Amino acid sequence: MGVGGGQGGLAIAFQLLRERVQNIQVIDAAEAGQEGPWLNYARIPTLPSPKEGNGPDLNIPSLAFQAWYEARFGKLSWKKLNKIPTELWVNYPKRFRKILSLPLQNIMRLIALVPLQGNINVKIECLNTGDVKEETTRKLILATGIETPGKWSVPPISQKIPKDFWFHTSEKIDFDLFKNKEVAVLGAGASAMDNAVMALEAKALGVTLYCRRSELQRVQPFKW
Ligand SMILES: Cc1cc2nc3c(=O)[nH]c(=O)nc-3n(C[C@H](O)[C@H](O)[C@H](O)COP(=O)(O)OP(=O)(O)OC[C@H]3O[C@@H](n4cnc5c(N)ncnc54)[C@H](O)[C@@H]3O)c2cc1C
């Protein structure tokens, strides 16, 4: 069983099918097409990654984003494209999943897992009905992305600050509130940059990012 139907979960499901492992099931808590950050808490209009980067296509050119884009908009348009617009990127996994008939069930959240005599017992909640079912799986793959810790967390110091003064990046944020204000961002990863840019575009006086590392992370973890 795979948990998470974002691009990581889709790629793993595809690879398993290519290896002839066909008795698989993938679940995702999000509604179909809403998996991952793109329609939820990512705000940028384009992907920061270069357009040529791999998605879940496993190096099969006809399944790559480029093939999909060229089929829709033509080769010339691809050449002219600088970065991939987020609103187009979100359509690509939908098509990918459909072409490959990937066995993804949506609105199903993994809520517990217990090792059981060499297998794993999982509890899955259907978020539509609230029904909880138990299943046993031999292998469990967690492709739960940024939500892996199970809940969004904020540093304890935020509890001492009135809620009107801070937001977590997963929340809906009215960036007009930052006009003519100094904004502090805790963190310097993708979401931090994303929200810093949004604040500046909303005419914040300035944005300061605070980072625990001595240097910004420059490694692309998906590039290996
Ligand atoms: C603003 C921003 C910009 C980014 N830009 C880039 C970029 O340009 N290039 C790049 O490579 N990466 C970028 N990223 C990182 C991006 O998050 C990942 O590349 C990509 O989404 C990772 O895919 P994933 O499948 O691992 O996780 P996700 O896309 O996060 O998918 C995880 C899925 O797991 C599901 N899930 C979580 N917990 C459960 C549970 N308990 N039960 C069931 N389902 C569950 C979630 O609903 C979600 O759909 C960016 C991230 C952000 C926030």
Side-chain angles (χ1 to χ4, degrees):
M1 173 178 287
V3 183
Q7 54 205 68
L10 294 183
I12 291 164
F14 180 31
Q15 180 66 33
L16 285 169
L17 292 176
R18 293 192 79 200
E19 303 270 352
R20 297 281 182 266
V21 181
Q22 284 164 336
N23 187 14
I24 60 171
Q25 184 189 348
V26 184
I27 60 165
D28 197 297
E31 289 188 22
Q34 303 280 324
E35 300 88 356
W38 311 112
L39 295 175
N40 299 309
Y41 47 89
R43 305 173 205 278
I44 33 167
T46 58
L47 263 62
S49 284
K51 64 179 180 181
E52 294 84 4
N54 278 88
D57 52 75
L58 304 183
N59 291 326
I60 297 178
S62 60
L63 290 173
F65 178 83
Q66 180 178 350
W68 176 80
Y69 184 94
E70 286 183 353
R72 276 198 70 181
F73 303 106
K75 284 183 188 297
L76 186 61
S77 176
W78 174 256
K79 264 194 183 159
K80 287 183 182 165
L81 184 72
N82 178 21
K83 295 277 176 131
I84 297 175
T86 313
E87 60 180 335
L88 290 183
W89 175 253
V90 294
N91 287 319
Y92 164 68
K94 287 188 213 162
R95 175 180 171 270
F96 184 85
R97 169 183 174 179
K98 197 170 158 196
I99 289 177
L100 297 169
S101 303
L102 297 179
L104 171 56
Q105 289 181 43
N106 287 91
I107 326 181
M108 304 293 269
R109 180 183 290 282
L110 174 76
I111 53 172
L113 58 97
V114 182
L116 184 75
Q117 295 163 356
N119 294 321
I120 301 169
N121 188 260
V122 292
K123 274 192 189 170
I124 302 167
E125 181 186 6
C126 171
L127 299 177
N128 266 346
T129 61
D131 292 346
V132 175
K133 63 175 179 174
E134 288 192 37
E135 289 191 10
T136 303
T137 180
R138 275 197 285 170
K139 305 276 182 209
L140 184 70
I141 297 171
L142 297 176
T144 41
I146 296 172
E147 294 174 48
T148 298
K151 63 172 187 180
W152 301 109
S153 70
V154 289
I157 190 174
S158 56
Q159 287 161 13
K160 297 183 184 156
I161 304 172
K163 182 64 187 78
D164 291 353
F165 287 86
W166 63 268
F167 300 91
H168 187 269
T169 51
S170 62
E171 292 177 47
K172 288 204 184 323
I173 300 175
D174 175 5
F175 282 88
D176 288 340
L177 292 172
F178 300 138
K179 190 173 177 185
N180 295 329
K181 301 256 169 45
E182 287 288 345
V183 179
V185 177
L186 299 189
S191 275
M193 299 294 179
D194 193 27
N195 285 270
V197 170
M198 291 296 294
L200 288 172
E201 286 193 344
K203 300 197 173 19
L205 279 183
V207 177
T208 309
L209 279 82
Y210 293 88
C211 177
R212 276 184 300 197
R213 294 165 186 265
S214 53
E215 282 185 11
L216 284 182
Q217 185 182 4
R218 292 204 178 84
V219 179
Q220 163 57 286
F222 284 91
K223 208 169 178 183
W224 41 268

